[in-house]
Amino acid sequence: MNDDASSEAGAAADEGFMARALALAERAAEAGEVPVGAVVVAGDGSVIGEGWNRPIADHDPTAHAEIVAVRDAARRRAAYRLPDATLYVTLEPCPMCVGALVHARVRRVVFGAADPKTGACGGALALHGHASHNHRLQVDGGVMADACGERLQRFFRARRAASRPAVRLVRLTPENAHGYEGVAVGEGQGAFVSDAPTLMRRHFREGYAEALYGIEAGGRPVGLMALVPPVQGVDYPGRRGDEAWLEGLRIDRRHQGRGVATRALRGIVAIAARRYRWLSLTVNLRNDKAEAAYRRFGFRDTGALYHGGPAGPQRILTLPLDTEDENGEGT
């Protein structure tokens, strides 16, 4: 067999064993574990060890797929060293696993997806060939990397979605607004008010807003915002007659970073789109994070500033509601 044919056969064998490791990763996912699978293959091509992540099921923080597979191989071989073995694993091994593989004298490690955060075969560290070790691992990475990485991403997407609380917009009246008095209101992002009681008083007593909405996450009040009609909005050059205003969107700190604000914003955009063609808001010039979030959602800079609020100059951003479908459906 020539070198090219030998290389192709070796690559095909690597993919075959990695596919087997990926199938084992599914068993981890089914048990609620991070989907990582591993296979240990002897020099003659026979599988002598298998494993998948089991730290939760086994109450064992060391029960990574690599450790489980190496333990399985060592038991089958009745030996504590595996000098002819190759370990296939769907995710780049961590420092703990690399240490175990070095102690086991595993010859070669083949991994799928790289791990730039905790990988110890070149991702975050390069312990596989460290000069202080009396054994060095041969490492080949990136085999079926896309499939291995996609499986991990799918798992974590599902976990995040499951942990996100249900979000609901509640149109408030004086009768059902109790519990919202203490929620956070946009600090300088609502151009006109800076606290919930003021926003509620102006709406209920003065008819300032077209509608006042409470934001619930997991059945608890976590935010408050007002949909303000054009007549009450900010006057600036280029202002439109069919331009509603959003005021006060801010989420309780405990629920930030969980997609609550984005889902609440989608809901209010869907409501505003029934009557208006534009939805505008102001954002503090110093609040780069909020401005970036609104821009990602589709809001555009009008080029105008509002100078009348208590928090200093604020940028006016606007969203064309006829492109709402590009930014997500309402809740």
Side-chain angles (χ1 to χ4, degrees):
M1 183 181 292
N2 60 38
D3 290 345
D4 289 343
S6 178
S7 177
E8 289 178 5
D14 284 349
E15 290 189 1
F17 289 123
M18 187 62 72
R20 185 163 177 168
L22 195 54
L24 293 171
E26 287 297 332
R27 299 183 66 170
E30 290 167 3
E33 307 268 7
V34 175
V36 179
V39 175
V40 180
V41 179
D44 62 3
S46 62
V47 173
I48 57 173
E50 294 183 333
W52 56 92
N53 266 3
R54 298 181 55 88
I56 298 173
D58 290 354
H59 310 293
D60 180 359
T62 70
H64 288 193
E66 301 94 311
I67 302 293
V68 175
V70 167
R71 286 173 176 166
D72 185 30
R75 280 192 295 267
R76 295 193 200 186
R77 279 280 184 89
Y80 74 103
R81 287 181 175 170
L82 306 166
D84 67 332
T86 296
L87 178 126
Y88 294 85
V89 61
T90 56
L91 179 66
E92 181 181 352
C94 71
M96 176 187 72
C97 292
V98 169
L101 297 171
V102 168
H103 283 298
R105 302 296 193 269
V106 168
R107 181 180 67 86
R108 179 173 176 242
V109 175
V110 180
F111 67 82
D115 185 352
K117 293 184 177 180
T118 62
C121 291
L125 301 168
L127 300 182
H128 60 290
H130 199 277
S132 67
H133 292 163
N134 58 3
H135 174 73
R136 292 172 179 79
L137 302 167
Q138 176 188 337
V139 172
D140 294 297
V143 175
M144 295 181 64
D146 289 344
C148 294
E150 192 280 331
R151 186 63 190 92
L152 286 162
Q153 292 170 0
R154 184 154 42 96
F155 174 82
F156 287 113
R157 280 197 302 268
R159 175 185 280 185
R160 286 192 296 269
S163 68
R164 287 179 176 175
V167 175
R168 187 168 74 104
L169 298 186
V170 180
R171 185 161 182 167
L172 297 181
T173 67
E175 289 73 32
N176 70 358
H178 302 294
Y180 284 90
E181 293 87 349
V183 301
V185 173
E187 181 182 347
Q189 177 266 318
F192 313 102
V193 297
S194 58
D195 62 86
T198 300
L199 186 58
M200 295 168 74
R201 182 175 62 253
R202 292 194 66 180
H203 172 59
F204 293 140
R205 296 183 184 177
E206 304 170 21
Y208 152 74
E210 176 178 310
L212 191 63
Y213 291 92
I215 305 168
E216 287 187 0
R220 298 178 56 186
V222 299
L224 188 71
M225 59 183 172
L227 184 63
V228 181
V231 68
Q232 299 281 20
V234 174
D235 190 10
Y236 71 96
R239 173 183 172 185
R240 305 168 181 85
D242 51 1
E243 180 176 2
W245 290 79
L246 175 65
E247 182 171 353
L249 176 59
R250 191 180 180 197
I251 303 301
D252 182 275
R253 184 180 299 277
R254 291 168 296 180
H255 288 82
Q256 291 178 6
R258 304 177 68 186
V260 175
T262 299
R263 284 178 285 168
L265 189 55
R266 285 176 179 160
I268 202 69
V269 164
I271 292 169
R274 298 168 190 164
R275 294 190 57 185
Y276 304 105
R277 293 192 60 195
W278 303 85
L279 180 65
S280 299
L281 53 81
T282 61
V283 62
N284 194 296
L285 293 180
R286 299 186 299 271
N287 197 340
D288 295 337
K289 184 177 180 180
E291 181 173 344
Y294 286 125
R295 287 180 180 273
R296 285 195 301 270
F297 195 89
F299 281 85
R300 307 169 183 174
D301 186 1
T302 64
L305 296 178
Y306 173 71
H307 296 273
Q314 298 171 62
R315 196 180 312 282
I316 300 175
L317 305 179
T318 192
L319 175 73
L321 297 178
D322 56 357
T323 61
E324 182 210 346
D325 287 344
E326 300 175 7
N327 301 293
E329 299 174 356
T331 58

